[in-house]
Amino acid sequence: MSEELKVRKIKDGTVIDHIKAGKGKKVLDILGMEDGSSSVTALLMNVTSGRVEKKDIVKIENKTLGKEEVDKIALIAPHATYNVIKDFEVINKSKIELPDAIEGILKCPNPKCVTNMNEPVKTKFKVEEKEPVKLRCNYCERLINLKDVL
Ligand SMILES: Nc1ncnc2c1ncn2[C@@H]1O[C@H](COP(=O)(O)OP(=O)(O)OP(=O)(O)O)[C@@H](O)[C@H]1O
Ligand SMILES: [Mg+2]
Ligand SMILES: [Zn+2]
């Protein structure tokens, strides 16, 4: 087995695999695992793997991901794999793909955008290019730099 320092198996939870090396920390950030979380969490960095040169893996016990979390991960780790663990086994595996539009999870950096006015409007960004990611606000049409919204 090429993979992994030995980490005990998780009973129920999430494994995000095939994250491009170096992006695992950011995935933890996105999931809010830095602070305020009590889940047992492992971040494996620079694991050797056949499919990508080197990868990071994130394992979180007692957590499953919602669509918004998966979409957000897709922005920084496209092609990662989301594994749902139940009773120590992988019961569901899906490839994390960037959707055509991202709704509700990013804030438009344009202060004049209608989504930043008092009346709350849910943000929506069209994914114009996937690699590297280019997003366009559906409301003010500003072209968004990923690092300005994450
Ligand atoms: N109970 C568990 N606790 C912690 N990690 C687990 C558990 N079960 C599987 N994993 C990890 O989840 C990932 C996916 O497991 P799987 O057995 O599907 O491996 P795989 O066949 O290499 O998958 P893939 O084809 O997606 O590379 C691996 O990184 C594996 O180490
Ligand atoms: Mg594998
Ligand atoms: Zn906007």
Side-chain angles (χ1 to χ4, degrees):
M1 172 162 110
S2 64
E3 206 181 287
E4 291 178 51
L5 308 171
K6 281 291 174 189
V7 178
R8 80 159 165 79
K9 288 205 156 198
I10 58 183
K11 182 170 187 292
D12 302 303
T14 287
V15 175
I16 305 159
D17 194 3
H18 307 115
I19 301 166
K20 195 173 173 203
K23 301 290 186 186
K25 252 180 101 180
K26 193 92 201 182
V27 169
L28 287 181
D29 283 348
I30 280 176
L31 297 177
M33 305 311 289
E34 292 261 283
D35 31 38
S37 160
S38 55
S39 301
V40 176
T41 302
L43 167 59
L44 300 162
M45 294 169 68
N46 301 316
V47 176
T48 316
S49 145
R51 236 174 82 185
V52 280
E53 285 234 309
K54 275 180 173 183
K55 65 176 181 178
D56 291 352
I57 307 173
V58 164
K59 303 189 178 198
I60 309 170
E61 200 160 47
N62 296 325
K63 184 176 175 75
T64 51
L65 304 182
K67 182 184 183 330
E68 292 199 345
E69 288 174 313
V70 172
D71 284 354
K72 224 165 158 183
I73 292 170
L75 288 167
I76 57 138
H79 319 307
T81 308
Y82 171 31
N83 298 278
V84 178
I85 309 293
K86 187 114 208 237
D87 264 324
F88 301 104
E89 303 290 335
V90 177
I91 59 151
N92 192 44
K93 185 190 293 283
S94 48
K95 245 186 116 192
I96 293 181
E97 300 282 8
L98 205 51
D100 295 331
I102 308 264
E103 277 187 79
I105 51 181
L106 303 172
K107 192 173 146 36
C108 182
N110 175 6
K112 297 211 165 105
C113 180
V114 67
T115 59
N116 289 317
M117 297 297 128
N118 292 336
E119 201 85 350
V121 179
K122 203 178 183 190
T123 62
K124 182 170 180 178
F125 296 92
K126 219 185 284 147
V127 178
E128 292 211 333
E129 277 175 41
K130 297 205 169 183
E131 278 187 69
V133 177
K134 276 189 192 158
L135 303 171
R136 192 176 294 280
C137 177
N138 206 46
Y139 294 94
C140 69
E141 304 204 317
R142 184 179 280 201
L143 195 59
I144 309 298
N145 218 328
L146 196 51
K147 67 177 193 302
D148 295 333
V149 285
L150 273 185

